[in-house]
Amino acid sequence: PLDHPEAVPGAVLSALGLRETSLLTRDREVSAPTSDDPVTHLVDYCATRPLLLILDNCEHVIAAAADLAETLLTRCPRLRILATSREPLGVPGESIRPVDPL
């Protein structure tokens, strides 16, 4: 669980196993991440991959999760995000699916 909104991008990097790693370029050469900024690193990684990113319990860090989701979805055309939250993220194209309590 995250209590600090600024930790959201770094948590996603860690979940994807991208901390302290190198990326493969299109011509298969290894390259270092292009930035120390976790959001830029995520964009670099996700931009050309078909991915489903699941963000769980976003209500604790709703603004940070929404900012990250909007940035990634804008820059990564093959990325889809499934977010769970008690409130909507409010990002363009969001589709809300209410779930009854278990």
Side-chain angles (χ1 to χ4, degrees):
L2 296 176
D3 294 329
H4 302 287
E6 63 277 358
V8 171
V12 174
L13 270 180
S14 293
L16 291 173
L18 297 176
R19 292 272 190 194
E20 304 295 323
T21 62
S22 296
L23 301 176
L24 293 178
T25 62
R26 288 190 182 141
D27 56 3
R28 309 300 289 172
E29 293 178 14
V30 176
S31 66
T34 58
S35 173
D36 288 336
D37 174 45
V39 175
T40 301
H41 193 162
L42 285 168
V43 169
D44 289 346
Y45 180 80
C46 297
T48 60
R49 291 173 170 80
L51 294 172
L52 172 63
L53 178 62
I54 299 173
L55 303 174
D56 193 26
N57 288 331
C58 294
E59 64 269 6
H60 303 294
V61 288
I62 194 73
D67 288 344
L68 180 61
E70 186 168 357
T71 297
L72 292 176
L73 290 169
T74 301
R75 298 181 185 171
C76 306
R78 299 175 72 190
L79 175 70
R80 299 297 176 259
I81 295 177
L82 172 64
T84 67
S85 180
R86 293 181 181 182
E87 55 186 283
L89 295 181
V91 299
E94 181 176 22
S95 180
I96 299 172
R97 303 283 187 251
V99 177
D100 291 331
L102 297 176

